[in-house]
Amino acid sequence: MPRDELAHDLIPAPRAVEHGERGAVVLDADTALWAAPGTGTSARWIRATLGAALGLPFPPAAAQDAPGSVRLLLDGSLGSEAYRLTVAAGPGIEIRGGDAAGVFRGAQTLRQLLGPDAFRRAPVRPRAPRSVPAQRVEDAPRLRWRGLLLDVARHFTPKDGVLRHLDLMAAHKLNVLHLHLTDDQGWRLEIKRYPRLTEVGSWRARTRFGHRASPLWEEKPHGGHYTQDDIREIVAYAAERHIAVVPEIDVPGHSQAAIAAYPELGNTDVVDTGALTVWDDWGISPHVLAPTDHTLRFYEGVFEEVLGLFPADAAEFSEFVHIGGDECPKEQWRRSPAAQTRKAELGLADEDALQAWFIGHFDRWLAARGRRLIGWDEILEGGLAAGAAVSSWRGYAGGIAAARAGHDVVMCPHQHVYLDHRQAPGPDEPVPIGHVRTLEDVYRFEPVPPELDREQARRVLGTQANVWTEVMEDAGRVDYQVFPRLAAFAEVAWSALPASGERDFAGFERRMAAHYRRLDALGVAYRPPTGPRPWQRRPGVLGRPAEGPPPHG
C-alpha cells in the first residue's frame, strides 16, 4: 500500500496513514462485531454510539475471522494507547491496541472515517450502507497527560453537561478531565459529613456579568452541585472512555464558599466570618482558611470522602488529587494572633512558609493513602514531597523548576492554553480576556520547554488546556471559547508534530474544514473561522484584555 500521510482529514493527525490500491469495507445491518477479551469498553461504545448514530446493530461475530466484520484485539507489540486500524476489502475492519485504551482511541479514528453522520445521536439516513476506503492507520500519543480543566465552581455545569464534555474529549483523544469543584464563588461537591458545604456554599445571591470592572450584574441566584452518585456516574462514564477525572479541592486560598458555610474555618480572630456569604464577584478573595488543627481535620474529612468518590484505579492518572494551592493572600494570617502563634510554634520564617506547611500536610496525608498530590506551581514555594506533581500555570518557569527538581509536571501556561482568553483582537469578541490566542497560536504551542534536557523533559507528563468560567454564563459560551481551539490543542498533545514554527497550519486548517462538520453534528457552538455569530457577541460587556504577544517565561 503506498504511503500518503496527507490524504486524510483526521484530527488529531495520526503518525502514518497508508491508503490501499482499491476497495472498501461496507458497514450495513449485517456487519458483525468481534471483541477480544479486554476490549469491552470499545465494543460497548461502538454499539451504543456508532450503532445509534448509523442505525447499525453490530451483532456479535461468530468467529474472529468472520469476513467483513469489525474486530477488536489487544496487541502486546504496541505501546500504551497506541493502535493500528486496518481497513481491507474482504476481511473487514480490524483495530489492534496496545491496551484497552489504544483500542478505544482507534475506535475514535474509525468514527471520523465514517463521516459526520457518525457523530449524531440517531440516524439521519436510515439503512444507508457506510463505506470506508481500504487503508491502514498507525498511531500513538506523544504525551501521556492530555487534559482539559473545566471550572464548574464559577459557573456551574450540570451533570449532563459534564458527560457531554467527556464525550467531546474522547472524540479528540484527550484523557484527563481536571474538574475544578470548589472556589470562592461556589462549592459543587456533596460531602455528607459537612452538608452545609452544598446547602450554603453551592449557591450565590447574584453574579457579576463580565469581568470585575463591569458594572453589570445578573440579579438572580446561581448555583448547583453534584451529589455523590452524580460523581460516581461521571467517574464511571469517564472510565468507560479511558479518561481520568482529577478533582480539585482548593486550599488554603479560594475558599470563601467553604468559610461561608462553616465560619470557623476562617480567621475568626481578625474577621467576622459569620457575616460572609458565597462571593458574588470575580478575582481573588482575601478570605482564606485558618492554619489551625480544626481546619486540617475538617479537610481531612472532606478528602476522605473525595478519595472514595474518585478511586485511584479508574483510569491512568486517577491517583492524582488536585489541592489548588494558588493565589492565597496572606494579610489575614499576618493580622491573626492564632496564625502567628502557629508560625512561631513551627519555627517558620514567614507566611509563605506557613502556606508550604499547610500544603505539605496534605501532601503527606494523601501519600500515606497511596494517592498523589498535584497543585498549581505556587506549591513549589517551600518544597514538596518527591511524589507530588505541579500544574505550571504562571508560564513555563514553574514547570521548568519543578522538572529540574525531579517533580512531574503538567504544562498549562495561561499565556498560551487558557481558553477563556480571547481568540481575536476585534471588538466583536465577547468579553475579551487576556492575550489573543488564535487557533494558529494554540496549534503552535509547544508543551515541552527546550530549556529542559532529555531526562528533565521526561518529567513533563503532558499538557492541559484550562477553561475558567467567570465570563462564561452558559454552555454556549463555553463551547465558543473551547472550540475549535481544543481541536488544535488535542493535536499538539497527541500528534508527533514538528517544531512550533515548522508545523503545517494550512494543512490543519484544511482538515478542520471536515472537522467543523463533525462539530456541527455534535451540536457544538464553536467560534466560526470568520468570527462570532451575532448571538455569540456580548457588546458592551467589559473584559480584561492583555495587549501584545504573551511572554514565553
Side-chain angles (χ1 to χ4, degrees):
M1 290 190 292
R3 178 168 173 161
D4 181 0
E5 294 185 351
L6 297 178
H8 67 81
D9 56 17
L10 300 173
I11 289 178
R15 302 217 166 189
V17 179
E18 296 181 357
H19 287 270
E21 297 286 357
R22 60 187 177 276
V25 172
V26 176
L27 302 184
D28 57 25
D30 296 324
T31 301
L33 175 64
W34 191 87
T39 66
T41 53
S42 294
R44 288 189 291 273
W45 181 87
I46 287 173
R47 288 194 173 101
T49 303
L50 293 187
L54 303 176
L56 302 178
F58 292 108
Q64 177 178 341
D65 58 356
S69 62
V70 177
R71 298 179 300 282
L72 310 177
L73 303 96
L74 298 179
D75 187 334
S77 69
L78 301 173
S80 177
E81 292 192 275
Y83 67 89
R84 181 185 302 118
L85 169 61
T86 304
V87 182
I93 297 173
E94 180 179 277
I95 303 175
R96 289 179 173 267
D99 50 17
V103 176
F104 187 80
R105 309 299 176 220
Q108 303 309 307
T109 297
L110 174 61
R111 188 188 199 184
Q112 293 195 16
L113 295 176
L114 287 166
D117 284 359
F119 289 79
R120 296 189 178 274
R121 295 190 181 186
V124 294
R125 275 164 273 278
R127 295 177 295 281
R130 306 290 165 166
S131 178
V132 183
Q135 60 192 287
R136 183 169 65 201
V137 181
E138 300 266 0
D139 206 3
R142 176 194 178 193
L143 298 173
R144 290 169 55 205
W145 183 303
R146 305 178 304 279
L148 174 71
L149 177 145
L150 182 61
D151 170 21
V152 298
R154 272 54 175 268
H155 277 102
F156 181 61
T157 298
K159 180 200 69 178
D160 284 354
V162 177
L163 301 181
R164 174 177 177 267
H165 278 285
L166 288 167
D167 283 332
L168 292 170
M169 291 175 64
H172 292 83
K173 298 185 174 71
L174 300 176
N175 68 340
V176 179
L177 174 63
H178 175 168
L179 205 53
H180 183 75
L181 290 163
T182 73
D183 215 296
D184 300 308
Q185 296 86 3
W187 183 286
R188 306 297 177 209
L189 174 63
E190 177 189 25
I191 300 296
K192 291 188 179 295
R193 74 186 71 186
Y194 304 128
R196 286 177 59 83
L197 287 173
T198 47
E199 291 172 359
V200 174
S202 70
W203 68 276
R204 57 182 180 265
R206 64 175 187 167
T207 300
R208 188 182 292 278
F209 188 51
H211 190 255
R212 56 182 176 268
S214 170
L216 305 175
W217 292 87
E218 186 177 43
E219 296 286 353
K220 69 177 184 180
H222 176 86
H225 73 274
Y226 308 110
T227 68
Q228 295 202 349
D229 280 348
D230 289 338
I231 291 295
R232 293 185 181 99
E233 180 183 357
I234 288 168
V235 170
Y237 195 86
E240 279 282 301
R241 287 147 184 78
H242 300 277
I243 297 173
V245 183
V246 174
E248 180 176 354
I249 306 294
D250 263 304
V251 296
H254 287 291
S255 297
Q256 183 167 329
I259 297 169
Y262 290 92
E264 67 272 18
L265 296 174
N267 296 281
T268 57
D269 51 353
V270 295
V271 179
D272 179 10
T273 56
L276 292 180
T277 60
V278 178
W279 207 21
D280 58 11
D281 210 346
W282 311 128
I284 303 171
S285 169
H287 301 291
V288 302
L289 298 175
T292 63
D293 289 339
H294 173 77
T295 301
L296 297 181
R297 301 293 89 77
F298 183 98
Y299 273 86
E300 287 171 0
V302 169
F303 283 118
E304 282 177 4
E305 295 193 25
V306 167
L307 298 191
L309 295 170
F310 297 88
D313 58 354
E316 186 183 17
F317 302 122
S318 292
E319 73 273 19
F320 282 97
V321 175
H322 207 292
I323 53 77
D326 62 315
E327 298 179 328
C328 178
K330 309 298 193 302
E331 181 57 30
Q332 290 185 0
W333 287 357
R334 294 186 185 97
R335 294 165 49 207
S336 165
Q340 292 302 309
T341 298
R342 173 51 59 94
K343 186 180 74 170
E345 290 171 349
L346 295 169
L348 301 176
D350 54 26
E351 286 71 27
D352 289 340
L354 188 58
Q355 177 172 337
W357 164 82
F358 198 108
I359 298 298
H361 174 86
F362 288 103
D363 191 352
R364 294 184 295 274
W365 189 92
L366 288 167
R369 288 153 182 81
R371 305 302 283 265
R372 293 187 65 186
L373 179 147
I374 185 169
W376 303 111
D377 53 61
E378 287 96 328
I379 68 172
L380 284 166
E381 300 158 6
L384 281 177
V390 171
S391 301
S392 186
W393 78 275
R394 291 182 295 178
Y396 286 94
I400 292 169
R404 288 175 174 168
H407 294 288
D408 287 338
V409 178
V410 176
M411 280 293 186
C412 47
H414 74 90
Q415 306 96 327
H416 300 276
V417 288
Y418 270 30
L419 299 185
D420 49 309
H421 285 202
R422 58 194 172 135
Q423 302 180 65
D428 288 340
E429 209 62 31
V431 197
I433 300 294
H435 295 280
V436 173
R437 292 286 84 192
T438 65
L439 183 65
E440 182 173 0
D441 290 331
V442 174
Y443 191 68
R444 298 194 185 281
F445 165 63
E446 175 48 53
V448 182
E451 295 92 333
L452 299 178
D453 63 30
R454 180 173 298 181
E455 285 300 313
Q456 293 164 349
R458 288 176 181 160
R459 287 292 185 177
V460 180
L461 295 176
T463 185
Q464 181 171 286
N466 293 348
V467 182
W468 302 103
T469 61
E470 289 95 330
V471 298
M472 300 182 212
E473 72 278 6
D474 56 34
R477 277 288 289 124
V478 175
D479 275 8
Y480 178 90
Q481 292 298 135
V482 171
F483 289 98
R485 292 184 296 180
L486 191 68
F489 174 81
E491 184 150 310
V492 167
W494 175 275
S495 304
L497 297 177
S500 175
E502 301 170 8
R503 293 175 189 169
D504 180 12
F505 179 69
F508 175 76
E509 280 192 306
R510 178 189 57 75
R511 288 181 284 120
M512 277 302 300
H515 200 64
Y516 285 122
R517 295 176 63 205
R518 300 173 191 136
L519 297 178
D520 287 334
L522 288 165
V524 176
Y526 57 83
R527 181 189 190 275
T530 54
R533 297 179 173 94
W535 57 88
Q536 293 173 321
R537 300 167 188 162
R538 297 293 185 274
V541 180
L542 293 178
R544 182 184 52 83
E547 302 303 331
H552 174 75

